[in-house]
Amino acid sequence: MIKEVWKKFDETELSHSSVHHLMAVHHLVKENGYARAVDIGRYLNLTRGSISVTLHKLIDKDYLEEDENKFYRLSEKGKQLVCSVLSKRQILKQFFTTVLRLPEDSAEIDACKIEHLLSQQAGEQLLVFMGYFLSDNPEAAAFREGFQQFQYNCPMENCLICDNTCYFANSHTDCE
Amino acid sequence: MIKEVWKKFDETELSHSSVHHLMAVHHLVKENGYARAVDIGRYLNLTRGSISVTLHKLIDKDYLEEDENKFYRLSEKGKQLVCSVLSKRQILKQFFTTVLRLPEDSAEIDACKIEHLLSQQAGEQLLVFMGYFLSDNPEAAAFREGFQQFQYNCPMENCLICDNTCYFANSHTDCE
DNA sequence: TTCCGGTGTTTGATGTATCAAACAAAAGTT
DNA sequence: AACTTTTGTTTGATACATCAAACACCGGAA
């Protein structure tokens, strides 16, 4: 039932926030060699208290490890998750800027909102697509060229994209 | 600062859940001519109590209106929001199935998770892209053809997509 | 007219994410 | 060694989304 699809949103293993806690650890360890709660807090602009709570939950869930000095590092599971999210971010950003020609900062924001929600499968396929789109195959080059020129005009009837319910800029019907 | 981008996720005007409450109203009014709390509850699989609370918040925020018999309909603002989300869903789904060749049901789920987060700008540009991709321009046809055949092999070095940090299927470096 | 079922609302609970403030412990300074 | 600062933890609060259960109302059936 379609009715049940919408609940999948909350069934994600980790929240947007938790994912960013992990990414902060990744970033800080890479940059500084270590990540303490206070560093993560400063990085994410959250209080130490909040960070402390969240990190311990992430330890319980086995995404994070803590050493004797309360320095954090990602577990294998955590590393994998961060890697997959970072890769999706990278590819999404590239798609948004290169293909959709969004400004850098909107691309950044859109990618950040979506990166942790996109399925692995979609991420991989998007990578393949980008590989072809950006390749120097003549068809790809011609496509890029042609797309640059292209202006979409919704044909009102028989719109191949939107099922006769085009809601965008030049929208012509109410949502039915 | 990049540090602040991540918080934009929670700064969305309405939550995923609220958006789906509105879409339920839209759907039910379209299908049955009316939408009462109990109908919405059944449709979304939530209790009447929960629905009641959320709907009143949506009325306060001016997305929804209630008549004397407690039948709900979307306000202008609500209609606009639902339209924009439905259009993004439609286009995303089409992109996922047609371009990325994801199975129908994954496409559905991915689209549903993302639809309310994607910026209007990205949605519109994606529509334009789909317009070109699916057009019968010869370059588009050739591109589709070529893409069908294409196999992406990450060249390990100088990967044009992933900045030498390819995280997907054939990943070759750790996230650094 | 009384009673029952369907509907909407309210209340108390859970779980999540966050804060500020109080507290404790460790580290650095004098 | 004594004092100060930094850091981590705990606690009580808010806000959200949800539930179950209690309550209230309304309208039709007996």
Side-chain angles (χ1 to χ4, degrees):
Chain A
M1 298 275 99
I2 294 170
K3 310 189 183 184
E4 288 310 309
V5 172
W6 81 277
K7 289 202 179 179
K8 306 244 171 182
F9 187 81
D10 298 309
E11 288 167 14
T12 46
E13 167 83 359
L14 292 182
S15 68
H16 177 75
S17 169
S18 293
V19 171
H20 276 275
H21 280 68
L22 294 179
M23 299 218 287
V25 172
H26 171 74
H27 175 83
L28 291 167
V29 168
K30 195 175 85 180
E31 286 297 292
N32 309 335
Y34 60 87
R36 296 164 306 163
V38 68
D39 304 315
I40 300 164
R42 281 199 265 262
Y43 186 67
L44 295 177
N45 243 289
L46 297 173
T47 61
R48 280 172 296 148
S50 177
I51 293 288
S52 178
V53 173
T54 307
L55 291 190
H56 286 296
K57 281 185 202 148
L58 286 169
I59 290 172
D60 291 344
K61 290 191 188 169
D62 199 33
Y63 285 97
L64 213 52
E65 292 160 3
E66 192 186 32
D67 74 10
E68 330 77 60
N69 301 309
K70 295 173 183 285
F71 285 41
Y72 296 95
R73 55 194 148 52
L74 297 172
S75 70
E76 225 12 82
K77 193 173 163 193
K79 242 178 243 168
Q80 263 174 34
L81 187 123
V82 167
C83 275
S84 102
V85 172
L86 280 179
S87 65
K88 285 176 207 159
R89 167 184 297 179
Q90 174 81 11
I91 292 157
L92 282 166
K93 246 178 73 183
Q94 187 146 39
F95 178 75
F96 288 142
T97 54
T98 310
V99 182
L100 301 191
R101 299 192 213 99
L102 299 186
E104 188 81 18
D105 53 338
S106 332
E108 187 96 41
I109 293 171
D110 272 21
C112 172
K113 286 184 181 173
I114 289 172
E115 60 194 11
H116 70 297
L117 294 169
L118 198 71
S119 66
Q120 192 70 7
Q121 227 189 345
E124 287 175 18
Q125 284 302 108
L126 190 56
L127 173 68
V128 175
F129 172 80
M130 289 304 292
Y132 187 62
F133 182 86
L134 293 174
S135 72
D136 43 16
N137 290 27
E139 316 88 55
F143 182 85
R144 289 196 301 268
E145 185 63 31
F147 181 45
Q148 197 120 38
Q149 252 69 63
F150 181 72
Q151 293 261 322
Y152 182 66
N153 288 302
C154 186
M156 308 308 251
E157 304 294 322
N158 298 316
C159 175
L160 70 170
I161 288 137
C162 55
D163 208 19
N164 279 351
T165 60
C166 190
Y167 313 89
F168 275 118
N170 41 4
S171 68
H172 54 75
T173 60
D174 281 334
C175 301
E176 40 55 276
Chain B
M1 299 275 98
I2 294 169
K3 309 189 185 186
E4 288 311 308
V5 171
W6 81 276
K7 288 202 179 178
K8 306 247 170 180
F9 187 81
D10 297 309
E11 288 167 13
T12 46
E13 168 82 358
L14 292 183
S15 68
H16 177 76
S17 169
S18 293
V19 170
H20 276 275
H21 281 68
L22 295 179
M23 299 218 288
V25 173
H26 170 74
H27 175 83
L28 291 166
V29 169
K30 195 176 85 180
E31 286 297 293
N32 310 334
Y34 61 86
R36 296 164 307 163
V38 69
D39 304 314
I40 300 164
R42 279 199 266 264
Y43 186 67
L44 295 177
N45 244 288
L46 298 173
T47 60
R48 279 172 297 150
S50 176
I51 293 289
S52 178
V53 173
T54 308
L55 291 189
H56 285 295
K57 281 184 201 148
L58 286 169
I59 290 172
D60 290 345
K61 290 190 188 169
D62 198 33
Y63 285 96
L64 213 52
E65 292 161 3
E66 192 186 32
D67 74 10
E68 330 77 59
N69 301 308
K70 296 176 183 285
F71 285 41
Y72 296 95
R73 55 193 147 54
L74 297 172
S75 69
E76 224 14 82
K77 194 174 162 193
K79 242 177 243 166
Q80 264 173 32
L81 187 123
V82 167
C83 276
S84 102
V85 172
L86 280 180
S87 65
K88 285 175 208 160
R89 168 185 298 181
Q90 175 80 10
I91 291 157
L92 281 167
K93 245 177 72 182
Q94 186 144 39
F95 177 74
F96 287 141
T97 55
T98 310
V99 182
L100 302 191
R101 299 192 213 98
L102 300 186
E104 189 81 19
D105 53 339
S106 332
E108 188 96 41
I109 293 171
D110 272 22
C112 172
K113 287 184 181 173
I114 288 172
E115 60 194 11
H116 69 298
L117 293 168
L118 198 72
S119 65
Q120 192 69 7
Q121 225 189 346
E124 287 176 17
Q125 285 299 110
L126 190 57
L127 173 68
V128 174
F129 172 80
M130 289 304 291
Y132 186 61
F133 181 86
L134 293 175
S135 73
D136 42 16
N137 291 27
E139 316 88 54
F143 182 86
R144 289 195 302 268
E145 186 63 30
F147 181 44
Q148 198 120 38
Q149 253 67 64
F150 181 73
Q151 292 261 323
Y152 183 66
N153 287 303
C154 186
M156 308 307 251
E157 304 294 323
N158 297 315
C159 175
L160 72 169
I161 289 137
C162 56
D163 210 17
N164 279 350
T165 59
C166 191
Y167 314 89
F168 274 117
N170 41 3
S171 67
H172 53 75
T173 59
D174 281 335
C175 301
E176 41 54 279

